[in-house]
Amino acid sequence: MTDQAQKLRDLLNNKGNVKEAKSIAILSGKGGVGKSNFALNFSIGLQQKGKKVLLFDLDFGMGNIDVLMGLTPKKTIIQMFEESLKIKDIIEEGPHSISYVAAGSGLTDIFHFNPHYFDYFIKQLETITMHYDYIIFDLGAGMQDQHLRFALAANECFIVTTTEPTSITDAYAVMKHLYSLENFIPIYVLVNRSFQNDGDSTLIKLKAVVERFLKHSFIPLGVLPDDRAVINAVKAQVPFLIHNKKSDISLRLNYIVEGYLGIRNVNHRSTQPHSFVTKLKKMFTRKVD
Ligand SMILES: Nc1ncnc2c1ncn2[C@@H]1O[C@H](COP(=O)(O)OP(=O)(O)OP(=O)(O)O)[C@@H](O)[C@H]1O
Ligand SMILES: [Mg+2]
């Protein structure tokens, strides 16, 4: 395993100026806070701004992004392993031409039960990372081992919370854990379901607590309102950015996408030079608990 990791590192370090996708892991402490809706609409938002996005449903519990966009995936990651398919054979086209990979049920612990699957996954990822600007992983809630490894390997982590204290304390716990494992991990925080502007105060208070007790500073990604347009869009199985592009939430999401793309240029120097694939390989050979 270590030999393989070294080979891969050498290979990737020699690839010169070839552009590689930026990887973003989206996770939360508490479940049901709006990660999948955000991951999907943020991906579409980036794509609408001319970026090429691959959205991976990697919720090791229960992936459901296909339901949010009314798609029935022909193939899933599980089938890629079981039928030795190439990753390009399981990439589907989603709304606004985003690329999408469905999880399939039973993804939990698959890499641990079968290390061969992990190697295969890495090899397949390598074949596509040059073709995208962003690869976005919807990782699901909680700090399962596999979520953590993907989060630590990604170039950036987006943590989603609502304004409820239960969700905020869980987001704090995730950050504490991530920072304890990786000091320089760039973390962005999104506050969802803000009601009567409590999102901004949540972001400010959380930032102050993280700075004081964890001695780290996350990047505020933004605040999204609690908006009935999300529920309507989920019911219609159409992403809200398309279902109701004039809704508050769509306008706010576009604002966040624009801010992120601006911030990204400013922060570009601070992100790790290592390839996501290389780091992922390293993370799966490391103890994280
Ligand atoms: N901004 C919002 N305004 C109103 N309702 C929302 C908003 N965001 C999410 N919701 C509601 O929360 C539900 C759950 O959202 P979503 O599936 O995106 O959460 P999740 O964090 O991915 O959940 P899980 O942890 O189960 O993967 C949505 O179906 C919708 O009803
Ligand atoms: Mg989800």
Side-chain angles (χ1 to χ4, degrees):
M1 201 73 159
T2 320
D3 261 13
Q4 281 175 325
Q6 190 55 49
K7 260 190 224 151
L8 191 56
R9 221 165 284 141
D10 294 346
L11 176 84
L12 292 166
N13 289 342
N14 281 335
K15 69 179 188 277
N17 294 328
V18 181
K19 184 182 80 65
E20 194 184 326
K22 175 155 270 202
S23 50
I24 301 174
I26 300 186
L27 64 163
S28 69
K30 194 171 178 294
V33 296
K35 290 175 300 298
S36 299
N37 274 283
F38 174 73
L40 173 61
N41 287 281
F42 186 74
S43 299
I44 295 171
L46 287 174
Q47 187 96 3
Q48 287 175 339
K49 296 270 180 281
K51 304 294 176 191
K52 213 162 171 250
V53 182
L54 172 63
L55 173 60
F56 253 93
D57 196 343
L58 261 191
D59 187 331
F60 290 99
M62 179 73 75
N64 61 4
I65 292 184
D66 36 286
V67 181
L68 295 179
M69 50 189 180
L71 269 184
T72 310
K74 289 182 224 49
K75 298 282 179 190
T76 65
I77 299 176
I78 299 288
Q79 282 162 303
M80 178 177 87
F81 293 135
E82 289 175 353
E83 299 168 26
S84 301
L85 302 174
K86 301 243 182 305
I87 199 161
K88 65 178 174 45
D89 299 329
I90 62 162
I91 295 177
E92 314 252 347
E93 192 176 312
H96 218 282
S97 301
I98 60 163
S99 298
Y100 168 70
V101 171
S105 51
L107 203 56
T108 314
D109 277 342
I110 195 158
F111 295 139
H112 278 196
F113 289 141
N114 194 336
H116 163 76
Y117 282 166
F118 181 70
D119 285 346
Y120 189 73
F121 185 74
I122 288 286
K123 283 205 184 83
Q124 291 304 312
L125 260 187
E126 271 190 286
T127 65
I128 53 156
T129 73
M130 315 301 168
H131 301 145
Y132 292 95
D133 297 308
Y134 292 94
I135 300 185
I136 297 184
F137 297 96
D138 179 15
L139 287 186
M143 285 189 282
Q144 296 172 41
D145 190 71
Q146 316 227 17
H147 285 162
L148 279 178
R149 291 176 199 275
F150 269 89
L152 293 170
N155 296 119
E156 293 168 353
C157 285
F158 288 6
I159 295 178
V160 182
T161 176
T162 66
T163 57
E164 292 175 342
T166 40
S167 171
I168 300 167
T169 41
D170 286 358
Y172 176 84
V174 170
M175 271 187 272
K176 187 173 177 188
H177 204 96
L178 286 175
Y179 282 134
S180 74
L181 293 166
E182 180 79 57
N183 219 359
F184 299 107
I185 188 163
I187 293 181
Y188 289 67
V189 174
L190 173 87
V191 177
N192 188 28
R193 307 199 73 162
S194 164
F195 192 65
Q196 294 175 339
N197 295 329
D198 62 353
D200 290 312
S201 53
T202 299
L203 209 45
I204 291 166
K205 279 187 218 145
L206 184 57
K207 197 161 179 359
V209 172
V210 169
E211 282 172 7
R212 175 151 183 223
F213 295 106
L214 303 184
K215 312 278 180 246
H216 277 283
S217 193
F218 64 73
I219 302 159
L221 185 61
V223 173
L224 286 174
D226 187 88
D227 191 339
R228 177 82 211 176
V230 178
I231 296 161
N232 293 340
V234 172
K235 284 188 180 161
Q237 293 187 267
V238 177
F240 60 75
L241 213 50
I242 293 172
H243 191 250
N244 188 348
K245 60 177 180 223
K246 298 228 167 81
S247 58
D248 273 2
I249 188 125
S250 295
L251 299 178
R252 286 297 304 187
L253 189 105
N254 276 324
Y255 180 77
I256 287 175
V257 170
E258 281 162 17
Y260 172 74
L261 290 173
I263 286 167
R264 189 180 158 250
N265 294 337
V266 176
N267 281 341
H268 198 62
R269 278 165 287 128
S270 66
T271 56
Q272 310 96 316
H274 300 297
S275 139
F276 169 67
V277 177
T278 315
K279 284 185 76 197
L280 190 59
K281 185 108 188 170
K282 222 162 74 186
M283 288 311 156
F284 271 82
T285 51
R286 160 184 180 177
K287 214 170 151 25
V288 292
D289 33 61

